[in-house]
Amino acid sequence: MSKLFDLQGKTILVTGASRGIGFSMAEALAQHGAKVILNSRDESALKQKVEKLKEAGWDADYVVFDVTKAEDGLTAISDIVQKNGSLFGLINNAGVQHRSPILDFTTADFEHVLSTNLTSCFSLSREAIRFMSNSGGGRIINTVSMLGPQARPTVPAYIAAKEGLRALTRALAVEVGQKGILVNAIAPGYIATELNLALLENKEFSDWVISKTPLGRWGNPSELGGGAVYLMSDAGGFVNGQVLAIDGGMSIQV
Ligand SMILES: NC(=O)c1ccc[n+]([C@@H]2O[C@H](COP(=O)([O-])OP(=O)(O)OC[C@H]3O[C@@H](n4cnc5c(N)ncnc54)[C@H](OP(=O)(O)O)[C@@H]3O)[C@@H](O)[C@H]2O)c1
């Protein structure tokens, strides 16, 4: 394996890794030598996914917690450091969507999306930075979205959260860069995952996605893994505060 992309000896926590994009990122990182710690709220799904990675001969473990419960996240990070000696990387990937016309969109629904998709990333990053600062640096990747700079109806909380997460990426990148901690974001386009089941089943919407994407198709979760490896590895060693779009070109098409 090229040393540029070698992640041997690096422990990386991926939130929302029981399926979809998070699991695919974890799989690619493990394949490149990292010890990946998969997180979600579903222990049986995590166990199954860790087994799959171990069967392939890679190093993996899991930690169950709800990212909206800040205290649980802090305990999990501290436990990971104790058990593995360090934490090199954090991918803030756990996310939820809530779709509703504005007049039916409750404040509780808005706050739930913000709490999962944005506030949790702040709390987990802060605790990861606490450890990374004392161990020579590290990497943080936030999963954002095309939505944020661009908008669609009925998803105001998601758009606000993801745009906030882009801003948080820049804010942290300039504050902790000198400690050797690099903070970047990955912005997937339309990827065929459970989050988008309703959209995938809607032929009109799915055809619209295909027509608006220069590559002419939905993305696969596995296509996000390479970006994560790049930003976690020596290959991405001078990339800081950036957003890597992995969207088949959708975001740059007029
Ligand atoms: N799919 C797309 O087209 C797309 C596009 C742009 C951005 N994204 C972003 O990519 C990320 C992953 O999305 P996906 O499409 O892979 O979605 P997904 O298949 O629905 O997976 C979401 C993951 O987040 C976890 N999760 C949700 N709430 C959580 C919580 N409170 N605590 C811990 N884990 C939680 C879920 O695990 P459990 O439910 O098992 O806890 C699951 O592992 C999200 O941030 C999403 O916004 C996706």
Side-chain angles (χ1 to χ4, degrees):
M1 184 193 311
S2 158
K3 196 171 166 339
L4 262 186
F5 297 99
D6 185 5
L7 299 175
Q8 296 282 343
K10 302 199 185 311
T11 301
I12 299 173
L13 168 63
V14 185
T15 70
S18 59
R19 59 175 186 264
I21 291 171
F23 176 69
S24 288
M25 286 178 168
E27 192 172 31
L29 296 167
Q31 188 178 4
H32 285 75
K35 171 160 189 179
V36 288
I37 315 287
L38 278 57
N39 152 266
S40 88
R41 298 161 297 184
D42 181 345
E43 181 160 18
S44 74
L46 289 173
K47 259 187 184 160
Q48 229 184 345
K49 290 292 162 56
V50 165
E51 271 318 301
K52 188 177 166 193
L53 296 180
K54 286 186 167 168
E55 276 164 21
W58 303 326
D59 203 358
D61 203 347
Y62 68 85
V63 58
V64 184
F65 67 92
D66 180 333
V67 296
T68 65
K69 306 221 160 75
E71 282 305 317
D72 295 352
L74 313 193
T75 306
I77 288 193
S78 165
D79 289 349
I80 291 169
V81 172
Q82 272 202 336
K83 200 167 159 189
N84 298 281
S86 68
L87 178 67
F88 176 78
L90 165 67
I91 302 190
N92 286 309
N93 170 78
V96 289
Q97 178 58 287
H98 183 84
R99 296 185 180 91
S100 167
I102 185 63
L103 296 183
D104 302 322
F105 210 113
T106 69
T107 304
D109 289 333
F110 187 88
E111 283 174 346
H112 177 63
V113 174
L114 263 285
S115 166
T116 310
N117 296 10
L118 178 58
T119 312
S120 75
C121 307
F122 167 75
S123 314
L124 288 170
S125 297
R126 184 191 57 216
E127 293 314 301
I129 288 166
R130 207 181 293 289
F131 290 105
M132 290 171 182
S133 302
N134 295 324
S135 55
R139 306 280 172 94
I140 296 174
I141 300 173
N142 296 316
T143 306
V144 295
S145 173
M146 271 185 320
L147 295 180
Q150 291 170 294
R152 285 190 57 76
T154 74
V155 286
Y158 188 85
I159 290 171
K162 293 297 187 184
E163 184 70 14
L165 190 52
R166 282 178 184 246
L168 181 67
T169 302
R170 292 191 296 274
L172 297 182
V174 298
E175 184 164 345
V176 299
Q178 293 211 354
K179 296 179 194 292
I181 304 168
L182 282 56
V183 187
N184 290 289
I186 288 178
Y190 281 92
I191 312 297
T193 68
E194 215 170 298
L195 189 89
N196 284 329
L197 265 190
L199 305 182
L200 281 158
E201 285 166 0
N202 177 338
K203 186 170 173 354
E204 195 183 335
F205 190 90
S206 181
D207 287 348
W208 174 81
V209 168
I210 291 165
S211 73
K212 293 293 282 182
T213 306
L215 293 189
R217 61 176 176 83
W218 284 70
N220 299 311
S222 62
E223 291 172 306
L224 278 297
V229 171
Y230 167 58
L231 292 174
M232 282 289 167
S233 66
D234 286 354
F238 201 52
V239 183
N240 191 29
Q242 303 303 309
V243 180
L244 175 61
I246 303 182
D247 62 6
M250 190 182 203
S251 59
I252 50 86
Q253 173 152 287
V254 179

